[in-house]
Amino acid sequence: MSSSETAIARQRFAHLPTPIEELPRLSAELAGPRILVKRDDQTGLALGGNKTRKLEFLIAEAHQQGAKTLVTGGAVQSNHCRQTAAAACRFGMDCILVLNGEKPQRPNGNLLLDRLFGAEVVFVEQRSERDRILQETFDKAAQAGRRPYLLPYGGSSPTGALGYVFAMQEFMQQGVSAEWIVFGTSSGGTHAGLVLGQRLHAYPGKVLGISIDEPEDWLKSHVSSLATQASERFGPRIEFTPDDVLANDAYCQAGYGVVTAAEREAISLFARTEGMLLDPVYTGRAAAGLIDLLRKGYFGKDDTVLFWHTGGQPALFADQYGDTLL
Ligand SMILES: *Cc1c(COP(=O)(O)O)cnc(C)c1O
């Protein structure tokens, strides 16, 4: 890679490389091709997940700007917010979270962990209010001299996406070949990093994002734009177009965080064939898509399909999901 790579600021704290494992009993159960899993639920920070890789670059950027407070937002059970709150502790910073959704009677799942990390939480009832309140919260912190750094939802800025450019490099260096990489996509940073990483590191397979909550058109244009912006950190800008992005929005009709029979089956199948935990919002839905595509014969019999596990398991212990899983 170009020498400019050394100029990319990174605070290393993730447990990398994450392992790649075989899922032979799941493959057999589905009479499908070889299935592998890359364990980004094991990135090491506060129960792990994909946001840890992004935070290595976001924290570095916050430090460069002299920030003292991390400000971000998401749903009440946001994995991104939990990992951001943990990173703030690790680097001696404050953290303010703007969370939309009903404030539960007692904190559970990710919200319990946000509290353990001492994050200040601002609840917003309507998701439509979240952008405004997040900006107000940031402005207030700035006026109070708290030197805030704003992380976008899901950490999906061009800087956050760098985490998955390096993740693709890591995968290539692991020397495991797979015709397909399949994962859950939502705010697009993971997807954009993998698409750019695919180009920079010549990954010959296909990168398929299963949408968690966004329409395919939005994902294709947003991910290609993020990948284009992130490319400038490595050298000459690469212009990605929506056609460079593979996304499937056939599995998100029920809405964000709604557990249907499909997610329930996927979570149960991974648990019972492999002793592997998925989460109700992201990996459960992505795996449901993967399973449906496998059953439809979408992948070749001789292909190897790598499911990139993005984490999220603390939400298994949130009251709002717990009852829906069995
Ligand atoms: C945030 C998240 C995703 C989606 O990643 P994006 O980069 O926001 O698209 C997938 N899985 C889990 C568990 C997540 O927390």
Side-chain angles (χ1 to χ4, degrees):
M1 204 183 277
S2 73
S3 58
S4 64
E5 186 194 314
T6 52
I8 295 176
R10 177 176 188 176
Q11 185 74 55
R12 288 179 184 268
F13 50 86
H15 294 185
L16 304 178
T18 56
I20 297 173
E21 298 170 354
E22 296 260 357
L23 300 181
R25 286 173 38 80
L26 180 67
S27 296
E29 179 74 25
L30 294 164
R34 183 168 172 238
I35 305 172
L36 306 177
V37 61
K38 182 146 170 74
R39 299 295 304 273
D40 273 17
D41 57 322
Q42 305 286 319
T43 49
L45 177 73
L47 304 178
N50 62 340
K51 305 310 179 308
T52 301
R53 288 191 190 266
K54 301 180 185 185
L55 281 162
E56 287 199 329
F57 297 89
L58 294 165
I59 294 282
E61 187 170 86
H63 281 157
Q64 283 179 327
Q65 296 177 9
K68 295 197 179 326
T69 304
L70 301 179
V71 178
T72 195
V76 168
Q77 286 298 329
S78 165
N79 301 300
H80 159 67
C81 290
R82 178 242 317 160
Q83 287 161 88
T84 300
C89 292
R90 178 129 182 193
F91 294 98
M93 305 170 89
D94 290 340
C95 181
I96 311 175
L97 303 175
V98 175
L99 302 179
N100 71 285
E102 218 172 297
K103 181 179 175 176
Q105 297 267 317
R106 57 186 181 96
N108 49 51
N110 282 298
L111 182 61
L112 173 70
L113 305 183
D114 297 343
R115 295 288 199 202
L116 278 178
F117 294 126
E120 298 158 49
V121 177
V122 179
F123 283 98
V124 179
E125 257 173 54
Q126 299 299 323
R127 184 174 169 154
S128 56
E129 297 263 276
R130 197 173 63 180
D131 286 355
R132 182 176 62 77
I133 309 249
L134 181 60
Q135 188 60 50
E136 279 177 17
T137 302
F138 176 85
D139 292 345
K140 247 194 256 170
Q143 282 153 20
R146 300 181 69 185
R147 310 195 68 153
Y149 172 84
L150 185 66
L151 295 82
Y153 303 121
S156 288
S157 60
T159 299
L162 299 178
Y164 273 86
V165 179
F166 286 90
M168 181 59 99
Q169 179 181 41
E170 171 186 306
F171 167 67
M172 295 296 284
Q173 287 170 350
Q174 285 176 301
V176 174
S177 65
E179 280 73 21
W180 291 88
I181 290 175
V182 180
F183 59 98
T185 182
S186 176
S187 67
T190 302
H191 206 161
L194 289 176
V195 165
L196 175 56
Q198 170 177 39
R199 186 74 65 90
L200 293 177
H201 300 289
Y203 167 61
K206 293 197 165 78
V207 172
L208 171 64
I210 306 286
S211 177
I212 302 306
D213 56 347
E214 298 288 354
E216 196 171 306
D217 286 353
W218 183 87
L219 278 169
K220 282 168 163 267
S221 68
H222 184 66
V223 167
S224 55
S225 150
L226 269 179
T228 300
Q229 293 172 66
S231 72
E232 294 178 343
R233 312 291 175 91
F234 295 93
R237 179 179 167 102
I238 304 169
E239 290 291 341
F240 289 92
T241 70
D243 287 341
D244 295 318
V245 178
L246 262 180
N248 182 328
D249 67 0
Y251 304 100
C252 61
Q253 304 314 320
Y256 178 86
V258 178
V259 177
T260 72
E263 287 83 25
R264 218 163 16 247
E265 190 210 8
I267 291 168
S268 159
L269 210 52
F270 272 66
R272 293 178 188 214
T273 57
E274 299 286 355
M276 178 158 302
L277 295 174
L278 302 177
D279 83 282
V281 181
Y282 295 95
T283 53
R285 179 159 287 177
L290 172 68
I291 289 165
D292 185 62
L293 293 172
L294 283 162
R295 286 182 175 144
K296 286 179 171 155
Y298 179 84
F299 309 105
K301 264 266 169 252
D302 298 325
D303 284 351
T304 295
V305 180
L306 181 135
F307 181 66
W308 203 306
H309 196 318
T310 46
Q313 293 99 328
L316 287 169
F317 305 105
D319 293 343
Q320 72 192 96
Y321 299 122
D323 293 347
T324 68
L325 297 175
L326 299 176

